[in-house]
Amino acid sequence: MYTHLTSEVEKYILSLPQDDREKLIDMIKELALKNGKLNSGHTKYLRDKIWELRLDSGKRQHRLLFTIVQESMIVMLSAFTKKTRKTPHKIIERATKLRSLILKELNEK
């Protein structure tokens, strides 16, 4: 499965400490190899075909929101450090809108 990172996600990953960055990149690769399905501790379905990839690294909780399009591509939509118990509603909304834009673009090609 092919993986695409938005520029926001790329910037986030590059800003991380090297050990967190390497772990997250390894998780993204594994996610692609397993067709978007990791064990339940690392992925969580949120809503509207948006999933959360989770990396807990000590006190830091990294989250990447992703979707699967055309059954062959994982698109990493958003990334953030989780600071509250629930994933912020605004971040999920933004990921949902971005997913819609990507699907529209793909359908126009």
Side-chain angles (χ1 to χ4, degrees), residues 16-80:
L16 297 176
Q18 184 174 350
D19 58 332
D20 288 359
R21 184 173 53 241
E22 289 172 357
K23 288 176 190 174
L24 205 48
I25 289 170
D26 287 344
M27 287 181 75
I28 292 168
K29 288 177 182 176
E30 185 179 354
L31 186 70
L33 288 172
K34 295 187 176 180
N35 296 322
K37 297 176 181 157
L38 295 179
N39 71 38
S40 62
H42 295 293
T43 57
K44 178 183 176 185
Y45 181 76
L46 297 175
R47 65 179 172 95
D48 300 326
K49 298 186 180 180
I50 304 294
W51 292 80
E52 181 179 70
L53 178 65
R54 305 163 154 201
L55 171 63
D56 294 334
S57 180
K59 293 183 179 182
R60 296 178 302 270
Q61 297 181 1
H62 305 292
R63 299 295 187 259
L64 273 66
L65 302 188
F66 70 94
T67 191
I68 298 173
V69 295
Q70 298 181 336
E71 298 181 19
S72 62
M73 181 172 35
I74 297 171
V75 181
M76 296 293 169
L77 301 165
S78 183
F80 62 99

Side-chain angles (χ1 to χ4, degrees), residues 5-23:
L5 308 177
T6 61
S7 59
E8 173 192 338
V9 173
E10 284 182 32
K11 287 176 188 175
Y12 180 82
I13 291 172
L14 291 173
S15 75
L16 297 176
Q18 184 174 350
D19 58 332
D20 288 359
R21 184 173 53 241
E22 289 172 357
K23 288 176 190 174

